[in-house]
């Protein structure tokens, strides 16, 4: 399989979409795990999941088992969750511990990853347990969210999030509390789902209800270095069955951010949702949706939350059906590559260029 940077023409009007084989073959997925998921900032959780010393949760990035934990000094770390003995799991799930005991033969590690004890290991030569520790990965924070990057040479998270930060300054993201999570498993490649997210072109056909809410003519996508923003203005006025509150309030327009490769942040004035898109196989994808609200305890918030989650779930099922049909289409002998709408699919083209560049590797800096 040939993954070259020039697989996607930089000129949108002349470019063709990425080859259908990239959505199907296991070799592309392994390369993506290494060069895309293994070199970008991946959302693993929130700082409030590890508030006190000893709090931890297990996570995985690009197939790499890790352990986010707060040590006795209050420092957050992303430790390898692979025991130095024979690769057993150091911790599972989440909780609070004074130290971590491997689930295989009981080697014991301090919260900062130093090896503390090794039962029945006397007589082993050239083994200095005081020099053994769990390696750690880069962990950085954006608002309430924790990200891990397996690439020690990657640019800081703040740089990747610069445009998101700039355009959401003043929105109290850090004060929004998690209220709901929904996982969906889709029978399609992860890129089919991301492609679909990155354009509003399908809204009139696939989401007729959403189409009625939006000012489709004003809908547009701005692209940045490794993120993009779709602005979807809410149409003023409208009938009585409108799903969005305050349709007259233009400031209530949604900001749909995507951060390469697999994170979506859908930001409103008083709420936000995150979508994390994770490949489970070439033709299988997990999408994790989480909702965050300001003042989740207020009764008005309950109603807003219920309506938001319900509406999002309806849209998600429409997207799942079309994405799974597209995955079947990509397997066709008669189809390989398509073209982009210059007006509507600049965000998809931007993603495909970033992907082709990353897959061509190895110059990530
Ligand atoms: S693998 Fe961890 S103690 Fe043996
Ligand atoms: Fe959609």
């Amino acid at each position: 399989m040939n993954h070259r940077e020039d697989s996607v023409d930089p000129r949108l009007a002349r470019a063709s979409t990425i080859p259908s084989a990239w959505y199907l073959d296991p070799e592309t997925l392994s390369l993506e795990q290494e060069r895309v998921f293994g070199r970008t900032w991946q959302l693993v959780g929130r700082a409030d999941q590890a508030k006190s010393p000893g709090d931890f949760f297990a996570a995985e990035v690009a197939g790499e088992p890790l352990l986010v934990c707060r040590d006795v000094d209050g420092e957050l770390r992303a430790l390898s969750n692979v025991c130095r003995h024979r690769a057993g799991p150091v911790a599972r799930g989440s909780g609070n511990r004074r130290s971590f005991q491997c689930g295989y033969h009981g080697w014991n590690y301090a919260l900062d990853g130093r090896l503390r004890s090794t039962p029945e290991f006397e007589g082993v030569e050239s083994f200095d347990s005081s020099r053994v520790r769990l390696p750690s990965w880069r962990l950085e924070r954006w608002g309430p969210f924790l990200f891990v990057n397996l690439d020690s040479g990657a640019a800081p998270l703040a740089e990747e999030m610069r445009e998101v930060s700039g355009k959401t300054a003043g929105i109290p993201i850090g004060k929004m509390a998690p209220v709901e999570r929904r996982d969906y498993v889709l029978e399609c490649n992860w890129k089919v789902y991301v492609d679909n997210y990155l354009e509003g072109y399908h809204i009139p056909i696939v989401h007729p209800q959403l189409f009625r809410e939006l000012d489709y003519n004003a809908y547009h996508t701005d692209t940045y270095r490794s993120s993009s923003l779709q602005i979807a203005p809410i149409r003023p006025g409208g009938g009585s069955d409108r799903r969005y509150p305050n349709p007259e309030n233009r400031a209530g327009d949604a900001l749909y951010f995507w951060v390469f490769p697999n994170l979506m942040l859908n930001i409103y004035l008083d709420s936000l949702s995150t979508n994390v898109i994770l490949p489970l196989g070439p033709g299988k994808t997990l999408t994790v949706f989480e909702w965050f609200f300001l003042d989740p305890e207020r009764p008005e918030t309950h109603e807003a939350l219920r309506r938001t989650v319900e509406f999002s779930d309806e849209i998600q099922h429409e997207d799942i059906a079309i994405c799974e049909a597209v995955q079947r289409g990509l397997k066709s002998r008669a189809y390989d590559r398509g073209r982009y709408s210059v007006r509507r699919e600049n965000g998809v083209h931007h993603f495909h260029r970033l992907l082709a560049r990353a897959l061509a590797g190895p110059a990530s800096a």
Side-chain angles (χ1 to χ4, degrees), residues 314-343:
E314 183 183 316
I315 293 173
Q316 175 70 344
H317 281 102
E318 292 165 349
D319 281 325
I320 290 174
I322 195 66
C323 285
E324 294 184 341
V326 166
Q327 183 72 18
R328 293 190 289 275
L330 289 167
K331 289 187 194 143
S332 162
R333 292 155 186 78
Y335 180 90
D336 185 20
R337 312 175 69 163
R339 300 291 304 270
Y340 305 98
S341 158
V342 171
R343 168 93 196 272

Side-chain angles (χ1 to χ4, degrees), residues 258-277:
W258 165 79
V259 183
F260 180 75
N262 64 331
L263 172 66
M264 292 116 184
L265 292 161
N266 310 301
I267 303 179
Y268 306 83
L269 287 179
D270 60 351
S271 69
L272 86 97
S273 68
T274 57
N275 315 148
V276 180
I277 314 307

Side-chain angles (χ1 to χ4, degrees), residues 290-307:
E290 286 193 87
W291 286 269
F292 300 78
F293 269 75
L294 215 51
D295 306 319
E297 300 312 326
R298 288 173 55 203
E300 306 90 286
T301 311
H302 281 278
E303 179 52 21
L305 168 70
R306 195 189 58 74
R307 288 197 327 188

Side-chain angles (χ1 to χ4, degrees), residues 48-310:
D48 69 358
Q49 291 174 276
K51 264 199 275 224
S52 315
D55 286 354
F56 78 95
F57 59 91
E60 209 184 273
V61 168
E64 186 66 52
L66 45 96
L67 181 58
V68 174
C69 114
R70 199 177 285 276
D71 74 12
V72 276
D73 298 323
E75 192 179 328
L76 273 171
R77 280 199 178 77
L79 299 172
S80 167
N81 194 7
V82 178
C83 180
R84 305 307 284 170
H85 175 223
R86 277 177 41 227
V90 176
R92 292 186 176 101
S94 62
N96 184 281
R97 298 266 188 287
R98 266 187 286 188
S99 64
F100 296 111
Q101 187 186 48
C102 175
Y104 202 174
H105 315 94
W107 282 25
N108 196 280
Y109 296 89
L111 298 177
D112 64 3
R114 275 177 302 120
L115 181 58
R116 296 204 323 181
S117 65
T118 52
E120 304 183 80
F121 228 58
E122 302 79 17
V124 178
E125 294 178 17
S126 305
F127 177 75
D128 178 359
S129 66
S130 71
R131 299 184 58 169
V132 176
R133 63 184 309 150
L134 298 169
S136 61
W137 307 105
R138 287 176 70 190
L139 175 82
E140 289 181 19
R141 186 174 170 167
W142 184 83
F145 301 111
L146 300 178
F147 290 75
V148 166
N149 198 319
L150 303 180
D151 179 4
S152 57
L157 174 63
E159 218 168 281
E160 296 303 298
M161 300 297 283
R162 190 171 38 214
E163 286 83 10
V164 186
S165 302
K167 298 204 181 295
T168 57
I171 299 180
I173 288 170
K175 294 205 176 98
M176 295 179 190
V179 283
E180 170 107 18
R181 168 179 171 149
R182 286 197 188 186
D183 292 9
Y184 303 86
V185 175
L186 283 68
E187 300 296 321
C188 70
N189 185 269
W190 70 278
K191 299 186 293 298
V192 170
Y193 189 85
V194 173
D195 291 349
N196 177 70
Y197 177 89
L198 288 173
E199 45 90 354
Y201 195 24
H202 70 279
I203 293 176
I205 311 289
V206 176
H207 308 299
Q209 176 74 29
L210 175 63
F211 180 62
R212 264 178 267 147
E213 311 274 341
L214 300 176
D215 179 356
Y216 183 69
N217 275 328
Y219 191 118
H220 63 281
T221 306
D222 296 334
T223 60
Y224 313 112
R225 202 175 67 104
S226 53
S227 60
S228 60
L229 168 62
Q230 295 176 79
I231 297 169
I234 311 289
R235 219 166 46 190
S240 55
D241 63 336
R242 300 294 297 260
R243 307 294 185 107
Y244 286 108
N246 308 321
E248 309 292 343
N249 177 10
R250 304 291 297 193
D253 293 349
L255 299 175
Y256 297 116
F257 285 101
W258 165 79
V259 183
F260 180 75
N262 64 331
L263 172 66
M264 292 116 184
L265 292 161
N266 310 301
I267 303 179
Y268 306 83
L269 287 179
D270 60 351
S271 69
L272 86 97
S273 68
T274 57
N275 315 148
V276 180
I277 314 307
L278 300 164
L280 300 176
K284 211 179 190 66
T285 295
L286 170 67
T287 69
V288 180
F289 282 36
E290 286 193 87
W291 286 269
F292 300 78
F293 269 75
L294 215 51
D295 306 319
E297 300 312 326
R298 288 173 55 203
E300 306 90 286
T301 311
H302 281 278
E303 179 52 21
L305 168 70
R306 195 189 58 74
R307 288 197 327 188
T308 302
V309 173
E310 215 170 79

